Amino acid sequence: MGDIVTYFQLYGEEIYKYVRKLIGDEEGAKDILQETFLRAMDVYIEEKTAKNYLFRIAHNLAMDYLKERNRFIDVEIEDNKYYNPEELVEQRDVWRPLSPLEKSILIL
């Protein structure tokens, strides 16, 4: 069994990049990475399952983070003005309306 420092060195950057893409927030991703390894310190982790276990913790924390954030897109529409939803998608962040599960599937 490796210790948590070894696992951080092996998987920390990869987990951080995954979470950052998933939630779209650099500071939030850093917080989630830190919380992931704090939680992992309290349990015995087998070497062969360490990566999956750490990613699962990070993924669950990211899902909780996204649930807490407002997931609605604010769209300002002038009175009596027609807008094309496809144009709106092109102008907006296309990741934002996706559910956390859809984001994680696309990232993976």
Side-chain angles (χ1 to χ4, degrees):
M1 175 190 93
D3 64 326
I4 202 70
V5 174
T6 303
Y7 293 142
F8 182 80
Q9 291 170 343
L10 289 173
Y11 310 122
E13 186 175 347
E14 190 176 353
I15 292 170
Y16 168 75
K17 288 178 181 179
Y18 168 72
V19 171
R20 189 183 69 212
K21 285 182 182 180
L22 187 61
I23 68 170
D25 178 17
E26 189 172 324
E27 291 303 314
K30 289 177 184 177
D31 291 342
I32 289 171
L33 177 66
Q34 180 179 9
E35 183 65 25
T36 297
F37 282 91
L38 285 174
R39 289 188 183 191
M41 288 173 57
D42 296 336
V43 296
Y44 171 81
I45 303 173
E46 292 185 32
E47 190 172 340
K48 65 181 180 179
T49 61
K51 184 176 181 177
N52 291 339
Y53 181 76
L54 293 168
F55 265 90
R56 176 54 50 197
I57 294 173
H59 178 83
N60 289 341
L61 289 169
M63 294 298 108
D64 291 343
Y65 176 88
L66 289 172
K67 286 177 189 174
E68 291 175 10
R69 281 184 24 189
N70 183 3
R71 294 181 3 211
F72 296 100
I73 298 176
D74 295 326
V75 179
E76 294 180 23
I77 301 173
E78 296 176 19
D79 291 338
N80 299 324
K81 182 179 179 185
Y82 170 79
Y83 72 97
N84 182 341
E86 290 149 1
E87 291 175 9
L88 184 63
V89 169
E90 289 176 10
Q91 295 171 359
R92 300 281 182 171
D93 179 13
V94 295
W95 288 91
R96 199 162 177 207
L98 296 177
S99 74
L101 177 60
E102 292 167 332
K103 283 183 184 179
S104 66
I105 289 169
L106 288 173
I107 290 170
L108 288 173

